[in-house]
C-alpha cells in the first residue's frame, strides 16, 4: 500500500489538483460551461447515462458493449487475414516487392475517407462499421507482420543453416518465433487504430455505440456526455491493450528488446 | 585420392563478391590449405583479409567463386556436412532456453527424445552450464552465452569446429577462461578446429598451427607449426619468441 502510494501518489495528486482547478474555473465563470463542462457536471451526466441512458434507454453499458463488439469483430477479422498474408508476403521477396507499393498505398488512405464508398457498397448497417474498423487495423497489422518476417537477424538464419535447417523448417522454427515480438507490437498498434476509427465508423446510421453517443451528444449540446464517451473509449482501449500486453508476456517470455515499441 | 591428403583440403580457393565484370576487389586468392584430422589451426590476419569469408566457405554458408573444399574426401556443397560453427556473436535463438538451443543443434533422428535430452545435458555439463539449462540467452552473461553456443555446435556431433572470433567480444578474464575450456573440450571430444582470431596470443595458446593471411587480396602468407609444449605459458620465453616471429610476419 505504501509502495503504491509513493509510486502513484504524486501523479494522482497532479490529477486531483487539475480537476479541482477545472471545477473552480467553470463554476466561477472563467471557462464557459458548455465548452468545458465541470467535473461535477460530468459525474452527474455519468449517473444519468448509466441509469436512464442517453438517448432514452441506451445506457453507457449498452453503448460500450456495442462498440467493443464492433471493434473486436473488425479487429479480429483484420488480424486473422493479415497474419497469414503477411507471412506469405514476408517469406517470398518477389511477392514482397510486388505488394510493397500497394501496402503503402492502402496504409496511406485515411480510413474515414472511405466512409462514403463503404456506405454505397455495404449500406448503413453493422457491416459498414466493421469493415471500416477492419480496414484500418489491417494495414497496420500486415505491415508489421511483413517487417517481422523480413527483418529476422540474418545471424540467426545462418546459425540455423549450419544445422542443416532450411525451407519450411527454417520458417517455422526460426523465422516465425523471431518475428513474434514484432507481430505482437503490430497487434497492439492495430488495436489502437481500431479505437481511433470507431467514432467515425459510428457516425452513420446508428445511435448506438460510444462513437454514436459522442455525435448524438453534440446535437443536443451535451458536451459532458461527449467527454464521458471519450473517457470510456480511452478506458476500454487501455484495458484491452493491457490484456494484450499480459498475453504477450506469457507467450514470448524471452523478449525484452521491444520495450519501447510496447508503450 | 592420395593417402597423405589432409582431412580438410582447400584447393585454389578464389573469392570475389559481385560479378567479375564489376572489377570488385578480390577477397581471397589462390588459397591452398591442407588440415589434418584433430589439428587445431588458427587463422590470423588484419581486418579485411578475408578470414571470416574463408571460414564461411569451409562452413558451406558461402560459395567460393572458384576452387573446392573437401572434408574427408567429400566436396563441401553446403552446411551440415560435419561442420559445427560458432559465430562472433553468440547467435543463440532468444526464444529457446540454453537447453533448447543445444537441443536445436542435436539433429539425430535415430535416438529417442529422452536420449537426446541426455546427450544435450552432457554437453551443457561439458561447458560447465548444467545449472543454467532453463535460462534464456538474455539471462546469461556473454561468456555463458558463448559456452552455450559451443555446446550447441557440438550437439551436431561435428567432426570439424569452425570458430569465428568466438571470444572477441569477451573481457580478458572470461576470454582466458574460455580458451582453457575450449582446449579441454577439444581434448575430450577430438575435433578438428579452425579458429579465426585477431589475437596472436590467443592463436599461440590454442593452436598446433597458425596461418597468417595477408590482406588485399587475402592470401596465405605464412604457415607456422607451433611445437611449444602444452599447456602453454604466456610468459614462457619460447612463447614470446614465437609471438615476436608472428608479429614480425604480420607487420611485414
Amino acid at each position: 500500500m505504501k509502495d503504491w502510494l509513493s509510486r502513484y501518489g504524486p501523479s494522482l495528486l497532479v490529477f486531483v489538483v487539475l480537476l479541482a482547478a477545472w471545477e473552480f474555473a467553470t463554476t466561477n465563470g472563467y471557462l464557459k460551461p458548455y465548452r468545458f463542462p465541470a467535473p461535477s457536471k460530468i459525474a452527474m451526466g455519468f449517473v444519468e447515462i448509466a441509469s436512464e441512458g442517453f438517448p432514452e434507454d441506451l445506457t453507457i453499458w449498452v453503448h460500450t458493449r456495442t462498440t467493443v463488439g464492433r471493434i473486436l469483430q473488425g479487429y479480429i477479422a483484420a488480424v486473422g487475414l493479415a497474419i497469414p498474408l503477411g507471412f506469405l508476403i514476408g517469406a517470398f521477396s518477389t511477392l514482397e516487392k510486388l505488394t510493397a507499393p500497394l501496402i503503402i498505398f492502402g496504409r496511406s488512405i485515411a480510413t474515414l475517407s472511405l466512409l462514403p464508398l463503404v456506405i454505397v457498397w455495404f449500406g448503413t448497417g453493422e457491416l459498414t462499421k466493421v469493415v471500416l474498423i477492419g480496414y484500418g487495423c489491417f494495414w497496420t497489422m500486415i505491415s508489421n507482420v511483413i517487417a517481422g518476417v523480413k527483418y529476422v537477424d540474418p545471424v540467426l538464419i545462418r546459425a540455423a543453416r549450419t544445422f542443416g535447417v532450411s525451407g519450411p523448417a527454417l520458417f517455422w522454427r526460426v523465422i516465425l518465433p523471431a518475428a513474434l515480438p514484432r507481430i505482437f507490437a503490430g497487434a497492439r498498434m492495430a488495436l489502437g487504430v481500431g479505437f481511433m476509427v470507431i467514432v467515425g465508423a459510428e457516425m452513420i446510421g446508428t445511435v448506438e455505440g460510444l462513437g454514436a453517443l459522442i455525435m448524438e451528444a453534440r446535437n443536443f449540446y451535451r458536451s459532458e456526455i461527449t467527454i464521458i464517451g471519450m473517457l470510456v473509449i480511452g478506458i476500454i482501449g487501455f484495458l484491452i491493450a493491457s490484456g494484450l500486453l499480459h498475453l504477450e508476456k506469457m507467450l514470448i517470455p524471452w523478449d525484452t528488446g521491444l520495450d519501447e515499441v510496447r508503450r | 585420392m592420395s593417402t597423405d591428403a589432409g582431412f580438410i583440403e582447400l584447393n585454389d580457393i578464389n573469392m570475389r563478391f559481385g560479378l567479375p565484370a564489376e572489377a570488385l576487389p578480390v577477397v581471397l586468392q589462390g588459397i591452398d590449405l591442407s588440415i589434418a584430422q584433430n589439428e587445431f589451426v588458427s587463422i590470423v590476419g588484419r581486418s579485411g583479409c578475408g578470414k571470416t569469408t574463408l571460414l564461411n566457405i569451409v562452413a558451406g554458408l558461402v560459395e567460393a567463386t572458384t576452387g573446392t573444399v573437401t572434408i574427408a574426401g567429400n566436396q563441401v556443397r553446403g552446411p551440415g556436412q560435419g561442420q559445427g560453427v560458432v559465430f562472433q556473436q553468440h547467435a543463440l535463438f532468444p526464444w529457446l532456453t540454453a537447453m533448447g538451443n543445444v537441443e536445436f543443434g542435436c539433429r539425430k533422428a535415430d535416438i529417442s527424445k529422452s536420449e537426446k535430452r541426455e546427450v544435450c545435458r552432457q554437453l551443457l555439463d561439458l561447458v560447465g552450464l548444467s545449472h543454467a539449462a532453463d535460462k534464456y540467452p538474455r539471462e546469461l552473461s556473454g561468456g555463458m552465452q558463448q559456452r552455450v553456443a559451443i555446446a550447441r555446435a557440438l550437439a551436431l556431433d561435428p567432426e570439424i569446429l569452425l570458430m569465428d572470433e568466438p571470444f572477441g567480444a569477451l573481457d580478458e578474464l572470461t576470454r582466458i577462461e574460455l580458451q582453457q575450456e575450449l582446449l579441454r573440450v577439444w581434448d575430450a571430444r577430438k575435433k578438428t578446429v579452425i579458429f579465426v582470431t585477431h589475437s596472436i596470443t590467443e592463436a599461440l595458446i590454442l593452436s598446433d598451427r597458425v596461418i597468417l593471411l595477408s590482406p588485399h587480396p587475402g592470401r596465405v602468407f605464412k604457415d607456422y607449426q607451433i611445437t611449444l609444449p602444452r599447456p602453454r605459458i604466456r610468459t614462457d620465453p619460447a612463447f614470446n619468441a614465437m609471438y615476436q616471429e608472428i608479429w614480425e610476419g604480420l607487420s611485414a
Side-chain angles (χ1 to χ4, degrees):
Chain A
M1 182 64 200
K2 211 176 159 208
D3 277 357
W4 187 87
L5 205 68
S6 61
R7 199 167 149 203
Y8 297 107
S11 48
L12 204 68
L13 190 69
V14 172
F15 191 66
V16 169
V17 167
L18 273 178
L19 276 185
W22 181 1
E23 181 78 35
F24 177 81
T26 354
T27 45
N28 290 283
Y30 297 111
L31 291 172
K32 297 267 182 282
Y34 60 87
R35 282 192 191 150
F36 299 98
S40 57
K41 186 118 187 270
I42 296 174
M44 285 187 302
F46 186 79
V47 172
E48 179 195 332
I49 195 175
S51 51
E52 292 159 41
F54 179 91
E56 205 75 3
D57 290 337
L58 288 176
T59 59
I60 190 77
W61 319 117
V62 175
H63 289 301
T64 304
R65 204 167 51 224
T66 308
T67 291
V68 170
R70 282 171 187 151
I71 291 178
L72 286 185
Q73 279 177 57
Y75 176 69
I76 289 169
V79 169
L81 201 64
I83 288 179
L85 269 178
F87 280 167
L88 205 67
I89 294 171
F92 298 100
S93 58
T94 353
L95 213 52
E96 203 267 329
K97 283 196 192 89
L98 284 174
T99 54
L102 183 74
I103 287 168
I104 296 170
F105 185 77
R107 207 176 46 193
S108 310
I109 301 173
T111 309
L112 290 183
S113 65
L114 288 175
L115 188 60
L117 258 186
V118 177
I119 290 172
V120 173
W121 292 338
F122 302 110
T124 54
E126 283 304 294
L127 189 58
T128 298
K129 298 158 186 83
V130 173
V131 164
L132 275 178
I133 293 160
Y135 182 91
C137 300
F138 177 78
W139 299 108
T140 304
M141 189 64 199
I142 198 167
S143 309
N144 278 284
V145 176
I146 292 171
V149 173
K150 201 174 140 195
Y151 297 116
V152 172
D153 187 350
V155 171
L156 295 182
I157 295 176
R158 257 198 302 162
R161 282 182 58 211
T162 66
F163 296 105
V165 174
S166 61
L170 183 70
F171 186 83
W172 293 114
R173 299 195 54 195
V174 178
I175 294 175
L176 186 62
L180 267 187
R182 184 76 191 249
I183 292 173
F184 257 98
R188 261 181 292 104
M189 283 189 249
L191 186 70
V193 174
F195 275 91
M196 281 197 285
V197 171
I198 189 67
V199 177
E202 289 183 337
M203 273 196 300
I204 299 296
T206 183
V207 290
E208 210 177 301
L210 293 168
L213 173 72
I214 288 170
M215 297 311 292
E216 194 69 7
R218 178 175 164 267
N219 294 340
F220 289 88
Y221 301 101
R222 296 286 300 269
S223 19
E224 83 276 16
I225 304 267
T226 302
I227 290 176
I228 293 167
M230 281 161 45
L231 287 176
V232 174
I233 288 178
I235 291 166
I236 310 167
F238 178 80
L239 289 179
I240 299 185
S242 326
L244 267 184
L245 200 61
H246 275 286
L247 187 69
E248 185 175 337
K249 281 200 173 133
M250 254 161 51
L251 288 178
I252 43 178
W254 68 84
D255 181 56
T256 50
L258 287 167
D259 276 338
E260 69 280 15
V261 186
R262 196 167 272 156
R263 288 185 195 114
Chain B
M1 95 184 270
S2 65
T3 47
D4 60 348
F7 180 58
I8 307 173
E9 286 279 347
L10 283 74
N11 303 311
D12 194 21
I13 297 285
N14 290 283
M15 183 73 194
R16 59 164 81 230
F17 290 112
L19 301 167
E22 289 176 277
L24 285 166
V26 177
V27 183
L28 294 169
Q29 193 176 63
I31 306 272
D32 282 306
L33 272 179
S34 179
I35 294 166
Q37 193 150 21
N38 299 339
E39 199 171 17
F40 198 125
V41 178
S42 283
I43 297 179
V44 179
R46 295 176 182 278
S47 299
C49 71
K51 306 184 291 278
T52 296
T53 308
L54 188 63
L55 201 76
N56 281 335
I57 291 171
V58 179
L61 291 169
V62 170
E63 209 181 328
T65 312
T66 61
T68 56
V69 179
T70 57
I71 295 173
N74 302 311
Q75 193 176 335
V76 170
R77 298 191 189 281
Q81 288 180 231
Q83 315 101 305
V85 186
V86 179
F87 296 92
Q88 207 165 349
Q89 308 110 298
H90 60 77
L92 295 175
F93 303 114
W95 57 91
L96 297 175
T97 58
M99 188 64 172
N101 267 285
V102 179
E103 282 179 329
F104 188 102
C106 189
R107 318 287 303 163
K108 288 201 196 83
D110 53 345
I111 60 171
S112 74
K113 230 180 185 150
S114 59
E115 278 175 299
K116 208 183 229 182
R117 215 144 229 270
E118 189 46 41
V119 169
C120 297
R121 195 166 293 284
Q122 281 170 8
L123 284 170
L124 277 178
D125 212 27
L126 181 72
V127 296
L129 279 185
S130 33
H131 62 284
D134 299 323
K135 292 231 176 359
Y136 286 106
R138 69 168 163 87
E139 300 172 294
L140 303 173
S141 68
M144 289 162 101
Q145 289 169 341
Q146 217 43 298
R147 281 167 199 259
V148 178
I150 292 171
R152 183 179 66 172
L154 289 173
L156 197 60
D157 201 11
E159 296 191 78
I160 302 166
L161 208 49
L162 303 171
M163 309 183 83
D164 184 7
E165 286 184 54
F167 309 146
L170 304 176
D171 63 87
E172 177 80 9
L173 293 179
T174 312
R175 198 174 168 146
I176 293 172
E177 221 172 82
L178 277 181
Q179 287 164 356
Q180 286 165 352
E181 198 92 328
L182 176 62
L183 285 177
R184 201 170 52 70
V185 170
W186 176 59
D187 213 41
R189 298 278 163 134
K190 288 296 164 214
K191 305 285 173 200
T192 309
V193 183
I194 303 181
F195 190 100
V196 165
T197 179
H198 271 121
S199 156
I200 300 173
T201 308
E202 185 166 69
L204 280 176
I205 287 283
L206 297 172
S207 323
D208 297 323
R209 202 171 147 197
V210 175
I211 289 164
L212 221 56
L213 288 193
S214 65
H216 315 298
R219 266 180 296 201
V220 175
F221 181 63
K222 284 267 171 64
D223 191 338
Y224 302 92
Q225 291 291 334
I226 312 298
T227 50
L228 300 169
R230 294 172 189 275
R232 310 245 165 95
I233 315 287
R234 281 155 216 264
T235 48
D236 179 26
F239 187 98
N240 285 317
M242 199 69 226
Y243 183 101
Q244 193 58 29
E245 195 181 332
I246 295 177
W247 171 245
E248 277 159 18
L250 203 60
S251 324

